[in-house]
Amino acid sequence: MLTYARWKYAAFLIVLLLSAVYAVPNLFPQDPSVQVTANRGAPVDEALRTRVAASLQKAGVTAKQVELDTKKNNLLVRLASPDVQVKAADALRPELGSDYIVALNIASTVPDWLEKFGARPMSLGLDLQGGVHFLMQVDQKAALEKRLEATTEDLRVLLRDKRIAYISVDRRPDNSIVATLRDAAAASAAAGVIVKGQPTLLQQMQGNQIVLQVQPAELQKYAADAIDQNVSTLRNRVNALGVAEPVIQRQGNDRIVVELPGVQDTAQAKRMIGATATLEYRAVVEGNAFDAVESGNVPPEARVYYRRERGPDGKPMPILLNKRVIASGDQLVGATTGIDSQSGTPTVSVRLNSAGGQRMFDFTSENVGKPMAVVYIERLPEVKVVNGQEIRSTRINEEVVSVATINGVFSNEFQTTGLSGQEAADLSKLLKSGSLAAPMDFVEERIIGPSLGKQNVESGLKAVTFSFAFALVFFLIYYRMFGVITCIALLLNLVMVFALMSFFGATMSLPGLAGIALTVGMSVDANVLINERIREELRLGLPPQTAIATGYDRAAGTILDANITAFLVGLAMAAFGTGPLRGFGITTMLGIATSAYTAVSVSRAIATLIYGGRRKLKSIWI
Amino acid sequence: MKPFNVFPYDSKINFMRVRMISLAIAALLMFAAIGAMAVNGFNFALDFTGGVGVELRFAKPVEVEAVRSKLAAAGFDNAQVQSFGTGTDLLVRLQKEEGRRNEGTGSIAQDVQAAASSADNPAEVRSSAEISAQVGKELRDKGILALVFVIVGFMIYISFRFEWKFAVAAIITTLHDVVIVVGWFALSGHEFDLTVLAGALSVMGFSVNDTIVVFDRVRENFRSMRASPEEVLNASVNQTLSRTVITSFVALLTVLALYFYGGASLRGMAESQIIGIVIGTLSSIFVACPLLMWLGVSKQDLMPKARDEAALARRP
């Protein structure tokens, strides 16, 4: 009598169910679609839906469905084919103008109840759907210098504020800062002030000089900050490109990967990513802006700007600003959100360099109690097709993102208070996105055409199917009943790999598909080991049921050792590789883990189910 | 009904008797591979060298020479043009022209496409890549790092589960296989790209898997058989022979599917694996156990140490 623990059957059933649920979404076809999102707080509502539907009809495009998703705040137009998709996007772009971003997308057709479990199809890698891939190198040395320059400036301001006369505060090439004071007494006074003001710096007194060192941990933080700021800047810029599901990730200490599925015009994408956005601080000119706009009577020192937020009538609100710039974005060193210690409300702290700080000091000394505005200026490249000719131009977009009252005199460091949490986060993001923390270079650029992507999907799937079919046919012929069992185990193995990859949100790429094909080849091994071992035990004269049990037990140890060593190789590829190597490594590791489970546990459960209950089993079909 | 099998189960082939010959052949192959690498070097793909590669598909078949002269006329003097697959697909490779990159405005791929196209035979960019030499160099370094990681990992794990002689034999066998696979790419001049590297590394996984199964049997037999190491090793190889051949055969089938149906992008990977599987199978039969023998493996190596010490302690 051959038995197998009941809880193991339960585990097998649970695994089977979970694998099915998470793997199945990959079978649903995806609709080519056009996604419309609001650009600057414009409304996404039923009215927009009617507008979109009407303009599609005008352009002669029949949409499968126009869905309004109030939760994600977007509108999804599902279409029948990629050709119609492009037509629809071309029709919608001029119609909706710059208030909305119109992006090509592929929408899943997975039913809602499946999505409730978090079951999603795997996203396709660039090599399977076409698009562009950039790898950018962040100049960390420049970033560090910028930060050290700012710290040096802070020290000067600190000493000035505390009325400690200094001879010089200079940055040395070895990343240290040296403050030279008149005498040792002044130096020790300065040291006390610096300990309080800049507690993270390491101090060393040398007569009338203080040598300040930035701690290594702090230097690392500088580098991490720089790359984070560049990532968020890139994210803002890419969002303006209208790309659905872009990937913007840091890689290592000084690289950023940008992947834009579906984009073909790299030149345009590169211009966009390298686009310049900047900021300006300007004084608000008193007077009624609405009247000025209507009458055209604008005071001579002022210009009309529009606010980012919309007024009650849904139109941007005008505001009059001084033509003179107080400080601009290239003088901005950093912006962080925090909580105001006095009011407990969110704030944005801004740091300027010395030139900007001086200008700000001069201005605020004379204008306490008056409002000051932050203007965000973007240069957006635009491509229009006129009479079949591409016309490239740059559009300058200027918006007032914040207006605040000057509460006191300040120079290079100040705070904007009275914001909501969301407003504070948005403002600091905008302030930061105006500038890159460090310059970047394109070190890798790949384009994959859509036709190649399509071909890769086809050939990749074909290869997996054939490799699987070859293995199945061989097993059925060679091991008969145990071949059937092995085939079921292999199938479950494949489903489990797909389920796990979908669950973890992995991206399916061509090397990933190759990895799956190879997984089939490797997972065969565990099954062969078991089946051969059972045959061997049978030849030694053991009764069939004992042979099955011993075969599985004896093979398990071997499978463990063989798989762990092979797993190490997958681990090395995933840990040290990037791109295809990593994808291949991850699939291999997953495949090895699932194949060990399915071969040892699942196939045994099935074998026991088939042969376990028979009392007088004479022979087994192997 | 008798089981259907390809290998006689009671095979008693004396693999150990020919161990000097098989080891000599293995060493010879390995040195030949190293020689090929030293003499020929590799035809590294863009992934490793950096540069520009543009894959174009023309509407109608084109002459390689005509495209080359057109590109030269447009200022791409050193363009390498190769055709691959059908007559409509061309691969254009360029050394990167420094200075162009940092403008951030133009795209070389589009320039190449414009230069190669003609009104009656327009080209479409199927894919393109621009990679800096720095990135390529790092990739090579990372590949070597991965190799070192794998070797150290094997050494630790196999020494822990078996014994250091097994670890050394497994590592040499695995390296032998990888070196031959990589050597083949040096010898044939086939392009060595990132997927080939992935293929070569996965050969290590396959090869060690094969070897470990045999070693596992060696360990089992050393504990249960009363025989000389040579007999134990021979018996182990023979007992696992059927399994080794079947596994490799099925794995070979799946990789062949990859080679024939996976398209051009996967061909290099599949090629490395086909060679790897064949060599890996042979080496697990003809190299791994002879190496163990040579290293002087014995029954004592596999006896649990703690018990020996306990036994010693009990003696007066």
Side-chain angles (χ1 to χ4, degrees):
Chain A
M1 187 81 184
L2 193 58
T3 55
Y4 198 51
R6 206 162 276 174
W7 70 267
K8 285 182 183 169
Y9 279 110
F12 164 42
L13 282 180
I14 291 169
V15 167
L16 186 68
L17 200 70
L18 283 178
S19 307
V21 166
Y22 286 99
V24 146
N26 293 298
L27 293 177
F28 286 90
Q30 296 187 314
D31 282 337
S33 61
V34 173
Q35 182 187 311
V36 179
T37 38
N39 197 4
R40 317 256 179 237
V44 179
D45 52 14
E46 205 53 49
L48 178 71
R49 185 167 134 149
T50 328
R51 204 169 135 202
V52 165
S55 62
L56 284 176
Q57 203 162 27
K58 208 170 69 190
V61 176
T62 26
K64 271 165 86 175
Q65 208 176 358
V66 183
E67 283 168 28
L68 185 67
D69 190 337
T70 40
K71 242 184 262 156
K72 287 184 201 150
N73 210 22
N74 67 22
L75 194 77
L76 200 65
V77 183
R78 290 176 185 270
L79 299 142
S81 75
D83 300 340
V84 188
Q85 180 191 23
V86 174
K87 229 195 242 167
D90 286 347
L92 290 178
R93 273 194 190 116
E95 171 69 27
L96 297 175
S98 63
D99 286 347
Y100 296 92
I101 296 169
V102 178
L104 301 182
N105 200 346
I106 38 176
S108 104
T109 53
V110 177
D112 285 343
W113 65 268
L114 263 179
E115 279 186 343
K116 281 215 180 83
F117 293 108
R120 299 170 307 250
M122 257 181 273
S123 52
L124 295 182
L126 283 185
D127 52 354
L128 297 183
Q129 61 166 322
V132 296
H133 161 108
F134 294 119
L135 184 63
M136 303 171 97
Q137 172 89 41
V138 177
D139 187 345
Q140 286 289 16
K141 214 173 143 231
L144 181 63
E145 275 177 18
K146 206 169 162 184
R147 272 300 278 270
L148 285 173
E149 196 54 64
T151 309
T152 312
E153 188 52 40
D154 286 347
L155 288 172
R156 286 187 196 126
V157 171
L158 186 67
L159 293 178
R160 212 183 300 144
D161 282 355
K162 301 288 179 204
R163 299 180 191 289
I164 298 172
Y166 59 85
I167 296 168
S168 68
V169 179
D170 287 318
R171 195 161 60 82
R172 292 264 175 89
D174 63 345
N175 293 342
S176 64
I177 299 167
V178 178
T180 312
L181 294 116
R182 227 171 322 171
D183 49 47
S188 66
V193 166
I194 294 170
V195 165
K196 270 190 208 145
Q198 296 275 351
T200 55
L201 293 174
L202 293 176
Q203 290 198 13
Q204 209 184 341
M205 299 278 287
Q206 292 175 349
N208 65 334
Q209 285 192 327
I210 309 172
V211 180
L212 297 152
Q213 210 89 41
V214 181
Q215 293 175 20
E218 200 71 5
L219 283 177
Q220 269 172 13
K221 196 174 156 286
Y222 285 2
D225 282 354
I227 199 153
D228 284 345
Q229 183 174 337
N230 278 17
V231 166
S232 76
T233 304
L234 282 176
R235 196 157 282 150
N236 278 334
R237 292 176 183 179
V238 165
N239 282 344
L241 261 174
V243 179
E245 298 177 21
V247 174
I248 298 145
Q249 272 172 351
R250 60 182 285 186
Q251 188 180 88
N253 286 328
D254 54 0
R255 299 258 166 85
I256 299 174
V257 178
V258 178
E259 293 196 334
L260 309 174
V263 170
Q264 287 309 312
D265 188 347
T266 36
Q268 149 96 18
K270 265 171 116 172
R271 267 198 305 276
M272 195 71 200
I273 288 170
T276 46
T278 186
L279 290 171
E280 285 172 357
Y281 282 92
R282 288 172 185 270
V284 176
V285 175
E286 282 161 36
N288 190 324
F290 286 98
D291 290 349
V293 172
E294 233 163 72
S295 64
N297 241 342
V298 179
E301 78 277 16
R303 246 187 76 189
V304 178
Y305 284 83
Y306 289 92
R307 307 211 24 178
R308 187 186 182 84
E309 314 92 284
R310 276 146 205 277
D313 56 350
K315 286 187 185 148
M317 293 189 293
I319 185 171
L320 295 174
L321 299 184
N322 199 309
K323 282 180 179 164
R324 236 185 101 225
V325 177
I326 307 163
S328 63
D330 53 343
Q331 292 162 335
L332 183 85
V333 177
T336 47
T337 52
I339 298 291
D340 184 27
S341 53
Q342 280 161 9
S343 64
T345 58
T347 64
V348 176
S349 315
V350 177
R351 281 152 52 110
L352 299 175
N353 68 7
S354 61
Q358 190 58 47
R359 295 282 301 269
M360 194 53 89
F361 178 78
D362 293 345
F363 178 78
T364 52
S365 318
E366 291 162 15
N367 294 286
V368 172
K370 289 181 185 168
M372 184 173 70
V374 183
V375 186
Y376 181 71
I377 304 157
E378 264 178 313
R379 277 166 224 281
L380 300 167
E382 279 194 327
V383 183
K384 279 192 185 126
V385 180
V386 180
N387 300 333
Q389 291 272 315
E390 275 192 8
I391 294 173
R392 293 173 192 277
S393 58
T394 339
R395 176 164 59 91
I396 295 178
N397 192 9
E398 290 179 313
E399 284 177 323
V400 176
V401 292
S402 133
V403 178
T405 307
I406 299 164
N407 284 333
V409 178
F410 49 79
S411 60
N412 75 323
E413 203 158 351
F414 54 92
Q415 294 181 328
T416 306
T417 54
L419 305 163
S420 76
Q422 185 59 41
E423 279 172 340
D426 282 350
L427 180 60
S428 86
K429 206 166 80 185
L430 275 172
L431 290 174
K432 279 195 272 189
S433 79
S435 64
L436 290 169
M440 287 191 290
D441 264 345
F442 290 88
V443 286
E444 192 181 304
E445 177 187 332
R446 288 172 189 273
I447 313 171
I448 292 108
S451 63
L452 183 64
K454 216 170 154 194
Q455 190 189 318
N456 281 344
V457 173
E458 281 164 15
S459 51
L461 286 179
K462 207 167 161 190
V464 172
T465 315
F466 273 99
S467 62
F468 208 72
F470 286 172
L472 293 192
V473 169
F474 177 84
F475 276 110
L476 286 177
I477 296 172
Y478 202 82
Y479 291 120
R480 293 172 292 207
M481 184 50 101
F482 271 78
V484 174
I485 296 170
T486 303
C487 287
I488 297 172
L490 280 181
L491 270 172
L492 182 65
N493 184 11
L494 192 70
V495 175
M496 273 178 83
V497 171
F498 269 98
L500 282 171
M501 288 186 74
S502 309
F503 181 74
F504 289 121
T507 304
M508 181 44 78
S509 61
L510 194 58
L513 279 173
I516 290 181
L518 195 74
T519 298
V520 176
M522 300 263 277
S523 60
V524 159
D525 181 56
N527 294 292
V528 172
L529 275 170
I530 293 168
N531 294 348
E532 287 296 302
R533 195 80 206 210
I534 295 174
R535 282 185 173 187
E536 210 181 315
E537 304 299 335
L538 282 174
R539 277 201 315 279
L540 289 176
L542 290 178
Q545 287 174 338
T546 324
I548 293 174
T550 326
Y552 274 104
D553 285 337
R554 290 242 168 118
T558 317
I559 292 170
L560 183 76
D561 281 332
N563 279 0
I564 285 179
T565 41
F567 191 86
L568 281 174
V569 179
L571 187 65
M573 280 195 263
F576 296 104
T578 51
L581 210 57
R582 202 178 143 77
F584 190 72
I586 289 173
T587 352
T588 313
M589 285 196 296
L590 280 178
I592 289 171
T594 55
S595 87
Y597 172 73
T598 52
V600 174
S601 193
V602 173
S603 80
R604 186 171 189 171
I606 302 171
T608 311
L609 216 54
I610 296 173
Y611 290 114
R614 302 197 206 162
R615 283 192 184 277
K616 284 180 185 164
L617 188 63
K618 285 270 166 56
S619 69
I620 50 177
W621 237 35
I622 184 165
Chain B
M1 202 167 165
K2 272 181 76 84
F4 173 42
N5 63 26
V6 280
F7 259 80
Y9 280 114
D10 42 5
S11 67
K12 290 209 167 54
I13 307 168
N14 197 342
F15 290 106
M16 288 303 126
R17 206 172 58 125
V18 292
R19 67 177 184 271
M20 282 308 154
I21 301 167
S22 60
L23 279 180
I25 293 174
L28 213 65
L29 276 175
M30 204 162 139
F31 286 122
I34 293 171
M37 288 187 238
V39 175
N40 285 11
F42 291 101
N43 176 12
F44 277 123
L46 217 57
D47 299 334
F48 296 100
T49 59
V52 181
V54 183
E55 204 183 312
L56 296 171
R57 171 167 283 183
F58 290 83
K60 288 181 275 184
V62 283
E63 296 260 329
V64 169
E65 215 31 66
V67 173
R68 189 173 295 144
S69 60
K70 258 194 210 161
L71 286 172
F76 298 106
D77 296 326
N78 300 320
Q80 289 175 19
V81 183
Q82 310 165 352
S83 74
F84 69 99
T86 56
T88 54
D89 288 1
L90 287 185
L91 178 67
V92 179
R93 281 179 69 173
L94 306 165
Q95 288 303 308
K96 194 162 62 247
E97 294 152 278
E98 287 302 329
R100 285 188 64 126
R101 166 163 296 279
N102 295 337
E103 283 171 39
T105 52
S107 154
I108 298 181
Q110 282 163 358
D111 294 348
V112 168
Q113 179 197 18
S117 292
S118 56
D120 61 325
N121 194 4
E124 168 205 353
V125 177
R126 292 263 284 165
S127 74
S128 85
E130 281 177 51
I131 295 162
S132 82
Q134 176 61 29
V135 174
K137 193 182 158 293
E138 275 176 27
L139 211 59
R140 256 179 287 172
D141 295 350
K142 288 233 177 93
I144 292 167
L145 214 61
L147 193 75
V148 172
F149 175 90
V150 169
I151 292 171
V152 173
F154 283 178
M155 193 72 213
I156 294 171
Y157 184 78
I158 303 172
S159 301
F160 169 70
R161 288 283 297 174
F162 293 82
E163 207 253 340
W164 71 265
K165 285 170 193 156
F166 288 78
V168 171
I171 289 167
I172 295 175
T173 312
T174 307
L175 281 180
H176 160 267
D177 301 344
V178 175
V179 164
I180 290 176
V181 168
V182 172
W184 164 254
F185 278 83
L187 187 74
S188 65
H190 289 178
E191 199 171 56
F192 194 98
D193 64 10
L194 207 54
T195 64
V196 175
L197 178 67
L201 285 172
S202 72
V203 164
M204 293 185 83
F206 183 85
S207 160
V208 81
N209 190 307
D210 244 9
T211 307
I212 289 294
V213 170
V214 178
F215 282 4
D216 200 78
R217 190 51 80 92
V218 172
R219 178 174 56 183
E220 194 184 318
N221 287 342
F222 260 125
R223 286 175 184 166
S224 63
M225 281 169 72
R226 288 180 172 274
S228 70
E230 190 172 339
E231 283 166 310
V232 168
L233 289 171
N234 244 338
S236 306
V237 176
N238 278 305
Q239 283 165 357
T240 50
L241 198 56
S242 172
R243 167 264 155 200
T244 305
V245 174
I246 293 166
T247 298
S248 302
F249 178 69
V250 180
L252 191 66
L253 282 182
T254 62
V255 179
L256 283 174
L258 213 58
Y259 186 84
F260 288 112
Y261 305 109
S265 333
L266 292 179
R267 196 146 295 157
M269 182 191 245
E271 187 180 326
S272 63
Q273 287 170 346
I274 290 172
I275 301 165
I277 287 173
V278 173
I279 298 290
T281 308
L282 292 175
S283 73
S284 73
I285 298 170
F286 291 102
V287 182
C289 283
L291 271 176
L292 264 188
M293 180 90 203
W294 200 39
L295 288 167
V297 75
S298 67
K299 198 180 176 86
Q300 281 70 43
D301 290 340
L302 289 160
M303 283 297 145
K305 297 254 157 39
R307 208 189 295 159
D308 291 356
E309 277 158 24
L312 274 175
R314 269 201 304 275
R315 282 183 193 167

